[in-house]
Amino acid sequence: MKRLLFINACVRAESRTRFLAEKLLSRWEGEVSELNLEQLALRPLTAETLARRDALLAAGNYADAMFDPARRLVEADTVVIAAPYWDCSFPAAVKVFVEQVMVNGLTFTFTDDGMPHGKCRAKKLWYVSTAGGPVIGTNLGFEYIRQVSSLYWGIPEAELIQAECLDLIGADPEAILAETTAELPSLL
Ligand SMILES: Cc1cc2nc3c(=O)[nH]c(=O)nc-3n(C[C@H](O)[C@H](O)[C@H](O)COP(=O)(O)O)c2cc1C
């Protein structure tokens, strides 16, 4: 059975981003496993954890629990990230997640000429987001994830599903979400 990894960076109980992501997930016919970033409470790398990680990698020990999120990412057939639009990108927990899964030898390797070569199985990543105002220019959170996932994880395609202007005075968030939901693509 195909495995979808749901990386959930939504924090509010009434999260509209999670609402949209769940609508998308309901179209998936395989197995869904979730990494809830708030519950996982990953920590930014420190001198101590970086040294520990370097020692594990030097020993080729990828079985350590530190690498669990990276292994889950590598093994997924499809990836869905749900992240509200915060401060022009995403909650900091998403960056900490990226930091934790960038594991040389597991998620990627380097070629002799220094180019990263991604090792993830997934061919597509979906990025779901909602924004209080209009997203001016580009969603930098999505652009960053798209770059990282194509260059370092080896996931060639990334697609953004986004609802904007939910918090504007006079806005009808339910109607905006219903419109976005009606346009959701198939996950297959
Ligand atoms: C910490 C924080 C930062 C935010 N930054 C932005 C922002 O830069 N631009 C914007 O349009 N909305 C911003 N918002 C509003 C959210 O994008 C909006 O309410 C979104 O729908 C929240 O998603 P959720 O319902 O899944 O929690 C911010 C909200 C919070 C709590």
Side-chain angles (χ1 to χ4, degrees):
M1 188 176 267
K2 295 265 185 193
R3 280 171 293 191
L4 182 151
L5 180 64
F6 173 39
I7 299 161
N8 181 2
C10 304
V11 295
R12 298 189 319 121
E14 66 278 28
S15 168
R16 286 88 56 104
T17 313
R18 190 178 56 246
F19 170 85
L20 266 187
E22 282 169 355
K23 293 283 181 197
L24 184 67
L25 294 178
S26 70
R27 293 162 183 239
W28 177 254
E29 286 177 0
E31 180 189 314
V32 175
S33 74
E34 178 176 345
L35 282 177
N36 182 306
L37 298 190
E38 188 174 30
Q39 288 169 11
L40 210 53
L42 298 170
R43 307 286 303 157
L45 287 167
T46 61
E48 189 187 330
T49 54
L50 190 54
R52 182 164 176 271
R53 183 169 84 155
D54 285 346
L56 289 167
L57 294 184
N61 181 359
Y62 297 101
D64 192 88
M66 177 187 253
F67 302 131
D68 284 353
R71 271 197 306 276
R72 299 264 298 270
L73 181 66
V74 168
E75 290 163 8
D77 292 297
T78 296
V79 178
V80 172
I81 297 180
Y85 189 63
W86 278 14
D87 312 321
C88 294
S89 63
F90 43 52
V94 177
K95 181 62 175 73
V96 177
F97 171 80
V98 170
E99 199 173 270
Q100 293 285 339
V101 300
M102 294 296 248
V103 182
N104 190 353
L106 192 54
T107 30
F108 67 95
T109 52
F110 283 115
T111 61
D112 288 345
D113 52 359
M115 294 295 285
H117 173 76
K119 296 179 66 165
C120 291
R121 183 202 306 239
K123 296 284 170 277
K124 181 141 186 181
L125 178 148
W126 303 83
Y127 187 97
V128 182
S129 192
T130 67
V135 173
I136 298 156
T138 179
N139 182 325
L140 295 174
F142 170 65
E143 291 304 331
Y144 171 74
I145 290 293
R146 182 182 12 212
Q147 179 93 327
V148 161
S149 64
S150 92
L151 286 183
Y152 281 88
W153 301 345
I155 303 176
E157 201 184 337
E159 185 166 333
L160 172 66
I161 292 165
Q162 177 170 265
E164 299 172 58
C165 300
L166 297 184
D167 297 338
L168 297 188
I169 295 167
D172 182 348
E174 280 77 27
I176 296 168
L177 290 171
E179 200 178 317
T180 312
T181 302
E183 290 167 359
L184 283 177
S186 163
L187 268 177
L188 300 173

